[in-house]
Amino acid sequence: MQDKVIIFDTTLRDGEQAAGTRLGAGEKLELATQLAKLGVDVIEAGFPISSPQDFEAVSLIAQQVVGPTICGLSRAVEADIDAAGKALKKAKKARIHTGLGISDIHIVGKFKDDKYGKTLKDKKEKALAMGVKAVKRAKQYTDDVEFYCEDSGRAEKEYLYRVIEAVIDAGATTVNIPDTTGYSIPEQYGQLIADIFARVPNVQKAIISVHCHDDLGMAVANTLAGVHSGARQIECTINGVGERAGNASLEEAVMAIKTRRDFFGLDTKINTKELYRTSKMASEMLGIAVPPNKAVVGNNAFAHSSGIHVDGFLKDPLTYEIMKPEDVGSPQSTVVLTARTGRHGLKHRLTELGYKVSDDRIEQLYQRFLDIADKKTEVFDEDIAAIVNDQMRTVEPVFELQYLHVACGTGTLPTASVKIKIKGKDAPMIAAACGDGPVDAAYEAIKTAIGQSPKLDLYSIKAVTGGKEALGEAIVKVIDNDGVRFTGRGISTDIIEASAKAYIDAINRMVGKAGTEKPEVKAEL
Ligand code: KIV
Ligand code: ZN
């Protein structure tokens, strides 16, 4: 038995059957070109009889995409097979994929008409004969004929064996055993493939192919069980897109075979470094987003976040990674900073960003970091820079904001109340005020509480990072009685709080007569 697994990609046929997707011939050609670069063995380019557009797409791909075998789908009816044959005419290597439903449910449901026979037994014989006839007709166009036994996962086994034997005798070079409805359990599907090898006398004359759907989330597991039992072609789609819950995902199946070579002892021809790029391209073209936790190609597939994992990963990536991101063409592994990231992770990122942080300062920074991380889902590099910058500027504060409440809205008078701790005094100062807007009201309340009225020279606010939870950075300049300017800065996920902090920071500098020069961001702390 060969130790190479043939990768049959059906993104452009079964994948495109996903609800709400439709690709034009040009787009299909673009994706097929990338699939060739990825190194797939067979591209199922479409179902030529289904529409003039699909016919055109298959013809275009057959003419222009070199490397893989180009395949067209057909039902086991003459017109379909002829359309596929015509569309594939210019292909260097062409395959016709024909077949029919062979489970009792499919035969009873689809072949209702008496012309197919009156009893189930008769209808099954008729279906078998149609299958054989279809293979023979497809053979007139190409030697490479694949036969699909639709709904094999629910078929009567003895009948399935007979169909396989008959279509191989008729010339089928590949026989596809689809679990069309995603009904199978891996042990069961693996056993089905093993039984086919044991029970079909001429099975060695053809390649047995697995084609699994994901209705119960087991498409890849079933595919791998089939491969383990001897199937040497897998039918899959990029990102697992497809009819209903989709098909087996190509990137997952391929990386499982590669990563667990110790178990399977098999190879594919896939250039795995192209997986990430192909996944992105398919996702954009089909308009189907890749979930962040998607294996192999999801944004979080190589992202580490919790303290224990980050610590282990930074010591040795093998502790928490079984594949290297570069092997699938994915951007480098990342440490995503969240509230669960420990000090080690934060320190590592600070070092990466060029900050040299002493151990006593890391604790202060970590507390600020936790404060922000509790309010945001992810803390970005820009947030870290803002925290460091803010921390570096800190003068020994005379005034400290302990409480801020602002009420405002359409048709109301903005009012603010503040509680400010003053260095050396036990009781905090409390004040309330109104203003033209929420920031103005907060500033008026602060002025009243601390008994200082510096002139406001400049106020600006900007988002440090994107998204609705972004950190807001407020910069405030105040002028003292001698005309000297002092710059204050405040950051928070709440822009009113950032504004109040910036104002108090500027006043602290004024009171402490701290310099106004903005220090370099990248510095030793
Ligand atoms: O799922 C299925 O049975 C199919 C066949 C048409 C191959 O997609
Ligand atoms: Zn399918």
Side-chain angles (χ1 to χ4, degrees):
M1 192 170 283
Q2 69 173 45
D3 53 12
K4 203 198 109 206
V5 178
I6 298 165
I7 302 299
F8 177 110
D9 180 277
T10 183
T11 309
L12 300 177
R13 199 278 298 170
D14 221 353
E16 205 226 12
Q17 284 176 217
T21 62
R22 192 75 185 134
L23 294 177
E27 287 174 311
K28 278 196 164 191
L29 178 62
E30 216 181 303
L31 199 48
T33 307
Q34 176 60 26
L35 290 170
K37 213 166 152 198
L38 178 66
V40 305
D41 300 280
V42 186
I43 296 176
E44 186 163 53
F47 183 6
I49 193 98
S50 67
S51 74
Q53 209 186 21
D54 235 33
F55 184 92
E56 190 202 337
V58 177
S59 315
L60 207 62
I61 292 168
Q63 264 177 56
Q64 298 195 21
V65 178
V66 283
T69 297
I70 308 303
C71 174
L73 185 80
S74 72
R75 290 164 299 182
V77 292
E78 282 182 8
D80 282 37
I81 297 165
D82 294 347
K86 279 190 199 114
L88 292 166
K89 206 164 163 203
K90 298 255 171 70
K92 287 221 163 49
K93 292 183 277 177
R95 174 179 296 186
I96 294 179
H97 188 190
T98 188
L100 37 67
I102 59 112
S103 66
D104 290 0
I105 299 175
H106 271 232
I107 290 178
V108 170
K110 289 176 171 177
F111 302 140
K112 283 195 183 337
D113 199 306
D114 278 356
K115 74 177 181 194
Y116 297 109
K118 286 206 168 46
T119 63
L120 174 61
K121 190 166 174 291
D122 292 346
K123 287 180 195 289
K124 281 170 118 168
E125 292 313 311
K126 176 76 182 165
L128 193 147
M130 281 171 69
V132 167
K133 199 169 159 209
V135 171
K136 288 186 175 156
R137 186 154 192 106
K139 279 286 201 187
Q140 293 173 8
Y141 293 97
T142 172
D143 251 359
D144 188 347
V145 174
E146 175 169 339
F147 187 86
Y148 65 84
C149 307
E150 198 180 4
D151 203 20
S152 290
R154 295 187 296 172
E156 185 224 322
K157 280 189 167 188
E158 295 299 326
Y159 178 65
L160 172 64
Y161 305 147
R162 280 184 59 217
V163 172
I164 298 172
E165 185 181 353
V167 296
I168 294 177
D169 273 346
T173 43
T174 303
V175 183
N176 181 9
I177 314 296
D179 181 30
T180 305
T181 52
Y183 179 73
S184 298
I185 305 292
E187 283 74 10
Q188 218 179 13
Y189 190 71
Q191 190 58 53
L192 175 65
I193 301 297
D195 291 344
I196 289 169
F197 278 100
R199 297 290 307 280
V200 177
N202 56 359
V203 70
Q204 297 302 342
K205 290 191 184 154
I207 296 283
I208 295 298
S209 181
V210 286
H211 177 119
C212 300
H213 279 268
D214 211 29
D215 300 66
L216 293 174
M218 289 186 278
V220 172
N222 284 335
T223 298
L224 295 172
V227 167
H228 191 50
S229 293
R232 286 296 174 264
Q233 173 173 287
I234 64 182
E235 307 198 2
C236 42
T237 61
I238 302 297
N239 300 331
V241 293
E243 196 77 54
R244 306 180 311 279
N247 290 56
S249 136
L250 181 149
E251 55 281 358
E252 291 175 20
V254 164
M255 286 315 288
I257 291 170
K258 184 179 163 95
T259 308
R260 296 305 311 274
R261 202 180 182 290
D262 60 318
F263 180 80
F264 292 104
L266 298 167
D267 295 300
T268 71
K269 259 181 42 213
I270 295 295
N271 173 7
T272 59
K273 289 189 178 354
E274 289 293 328
L275 284 172
Y276 184 78
R277 190 199 316 276
T278 315
S279 157
K280 282 264 168 297
M281 188 178 199
S283 159
E284 276 160 28
M285 277 190 180
L286 293 163
I288 301 176
V290 176
N293 62 330
K294 167 87 176 59
V296 183
V297 291
N299 279 346
N300 291 352
F302 297 96
H304 306 272
S305 164
S306 78
I308 296 171
H309 286 223
V310 169
D311 190 53
F313 166 75
L314 292 176
K315 285 175 180 147
D316 179 357
L318 281 179
T319 53
Y320 288 102
E321 280 186 355
I322 57 166
M323 297 170 265
K324 292 199 205 109
E326 57 269 30
D327 287 349
V328 301
S330 171
Q332 284 305 302
S333 304
T334 48
V335 170
V336 176
L337 297 180
T338 68
R340 289 172 306 284
T341 310
R343 289 166 184 76
H344 188 190
L346 176 64
K347 194 166 179 182
H348 176 82
R349 179 59 60 82
L350 283 163
T351 311
E352 277 184 343
L353 292 173
Y355 300 106
K356 210 171 155 198
V357 189
S358 64
D359 283 346
D360 48 332
R361 291 306 291 273
I362 189 80
E363 194 49 45
Q364 287 168 306
L365 282 173
Y366 185 61
Q367 292 313 321
R368 291 289 305 273
F369 164 80
L370 279 184
D371 224 33
I372 305 287
D374 266 343
K375 295 181 186 137
K376 291 173 58 113
T377 44
E378 185 180 340
V379 182
F380 299 105
D381 290 351
E382 294 85 344
D383 299 324
I384 303 274
I387 297 169
V388 173
N389 205 8
D390 202 41
Q391 193 76 11
M392 281 173 58
R393 293 172 45 79
T394 305
V395 289
E396 192 52 38
V398 175
F399 306 110
E400 203 183 308
L401 184 67
Q402 284 193 324
Y403 169 94
L404 168 70
H405 176 79
V406 177
C408 63
T410 310
T412 63
L413 183 63
T415 50
S417 49
V418 294
K419 192 199 275 185
I420 293 178
K421 171 143 181 42
I422 302 181
K423 195 177 164 193
K425 293 201 174 159
D426 286 343
M429 298 302 292
I430 294 171
C434 309
D436 289 340
V439 174
D440 189 43
Y443 284 12
E444 287 305 319
I446 292 168
K447 280 198 266 182
T448 310
I450 64 178
Q452 301 261 354
S453 302
K455 190 163 169 275
L456 185 65
D457 184 42
L458 176 139
Y459 166 80
S460 85
I461 182 98
K462 69 171 180 99
V464 177
T465 43
K468 62 179 171 37
E469 304 160 319
L471 272 188
E473 179 189 52
I475 304 283
V476 164
K477 280 187 195 293
V478 297
I479 307 181
D480 72 2
N481 291 339
D482 302 324
V484 180
R485 283 179 171 74
F486 297 87
T487 306
R489 194 166 165 282
I491 54 169
S492 170
T493 46
D494 173 346
I495 56 170
I496 310 295
E497 186 182 284
S499 305
K501 282 182 168 174
Y503 191 50
I504 292 174
D505 183 38
I507 295 172
N508 275 327
R509 286 166 193 286
M510 185 182 84
V511 174
K513 297 281 184 231
T516 57
E517 285 301 295
K518 201 173 176 228
E520 274 293 297
V521 174
K522 301 210 169 176
E524 211 160 307
L525 287 179

